[in-house]
Amino acid sequence: MRYQINDIHPCVQGEGVHAGVPMVLIRLQGCGVGCPWCDSKETWGFSEKNRVGLADALGTNPRWAGAGVGETLAFVRSRPPKIRWALITGGEPAGQDLAPLAKGLKEDGYRTAIETSGTARGHLGAGFDWICVSPKFDMPGGGEPLPECLESAHEIKHVAGKPADIDRLDRALDGLGLREGVVISLQPESLGRKATELCVKTVMERGWRLSLQTHKFINQR
Ligand code: SF4
């Protein structure tokens, strides 16, 4: 199994329940959802001219590399040793079969987390310790979150800018068999003032959580 990798780097998780936790972030290439506010648009495509070796792909850029599990794990191991979480994100990482990589990370002693839009199933059955589904609705690229992906989530992290975004999430979750204890986090779209006010008000009314993209305050990617 080879993975299409955009970047691997240590970071402090900035979003959701694990905000503040150091992790090795593995960013996979490729996403067709097309969210207008996406802050990792460099991961969307697979231009051949941007295909490089893994060492040359690293950083915030559209370059990407194909790498097997062993090569990927070697890069992860070279990161600071005290970091005990590995986070697979994208792009949309679940477009790739993540079971071999998740297994290798676990064998190396990492706890494993994934962030996915829920539009693909590559993480299901892979034994992740933390599945964060961030559903996107009615986006230009299409691809709605799949019910089984929403039901797999330990955390559902929803970007909201207006009341209709909350209504849309309510409709998507209605009638699903969500995991017991699932955490719902609201994240203000682009940290805008009105979006933030809406999210603060809603999480207090509903007992949800606020997610604030704290990595942007500390200049981390
Ligand atoms: Fe960007 Fe994620 Fe939306 Fe894909 S699903 S376009 S990576 S925000």
Side-chain angles (χ1 to χ4, degrees):
M1 177 72 202
R2 289 181 75 73
Y3 293 97
Q4 319 305 321
I5 294 178
N6 173 270
D7 198 6
I8 299 174
H9 64 89
C11 69
V12 175
Q13 168 64 287
E15 301 183 354
V17 168
H18 290 113
V21 176
M23 297 185 172
V24 179
L25 183 149
I26 303 165
R27 190 181 295 286
L28 300 191
Q29 189 77 13
C31 183
V33 179
C35 305
W37 68 81
C38 178
D39 54 14
S40 55
K41 287 180 177 167
E42 70 279 3
T43 65
W44 287 6
F46 287 100
S47 167
E48 270 305 311
K49 78 174 167 32
N50 288 326
R51 183 181 193 134
V52 294
L54 187 49
D56 292 324
L58 305 185
T60 304
N61 60 65
R63 296 191 296 274
W64 59 280
V69 173
E71 189 181 359
T72 305
L73 290 177
F75 261 81
V76 173
R77 280 187 210 112
S78 71
R79 308 299 125 173
K82 295 278 186 186
I83 297 181
R84 295 325 307 158
W85 276 91
L87 168 67
I88 300 178
T89 183
E92 174 42 73
Q96 305 181 45
D97 174 10
L98 298 174
L101 182 54
K103 180 168 177 282
L105 289 165
K106 275 189 168 298
E107 286 170 356
D108 268 6
Y110 287 96
R111 302 202 74 202
T112 52
I114 179 174
E115 294 193 2
T116 168
S117 64
T119 54
R121 301 179 178 84
H123 65 294
L124 297 179
F128 279 92
D129 295 298
W130 194 258
I131 297 170
C132 178
V133 177
S134 184
K136 312 295 189 309
F137 303 102
D138 310 318
M139 289 298 152
E144 297 295 304
L146 302 167
E148 61 269 42
C149 292
L150 289 164
E151 290 176 344
S152 76
H154 299 88
E155 177 178 10
I156 294 172
K157 185 177 62 188
H158 185 52
V159 178
K162 54 190 181 309
D165 296 332
I166 314 283
D167 297 341
R168 188 69 186 83
L169 179 67
D170 285 340
R171 290 202 302 280
L173 301 185
D174 186 36
L176 295 185
L178 296 179
R179 192 188 285 267
E180 191 176 344
V182 64
V183 177
I184 300 182
S185 303
L186 279 189
Q187 187 162 294
E189 183 179 330
S190 303
L191 287 173
R193 186 177 58 81
K194 283 196 167 165
T196 303
E197 287 171 3
L198 170 69
C199 290
V200 168
K201 175 172 171 286
T202 305
V203 301
M204 288 198 291
E205 286 171 354
R206 300 195 181 200
W208 292 354
R209 284 181 69 119
L210 190 66
S211 172
L212 281 181
Q213 292 189 293
T214 54
H215 55 289
K216 293 189 173 174
F217 305 137
I218 57 173
N219 292 323
Q220 284 206 335
R221 63 188 194 269

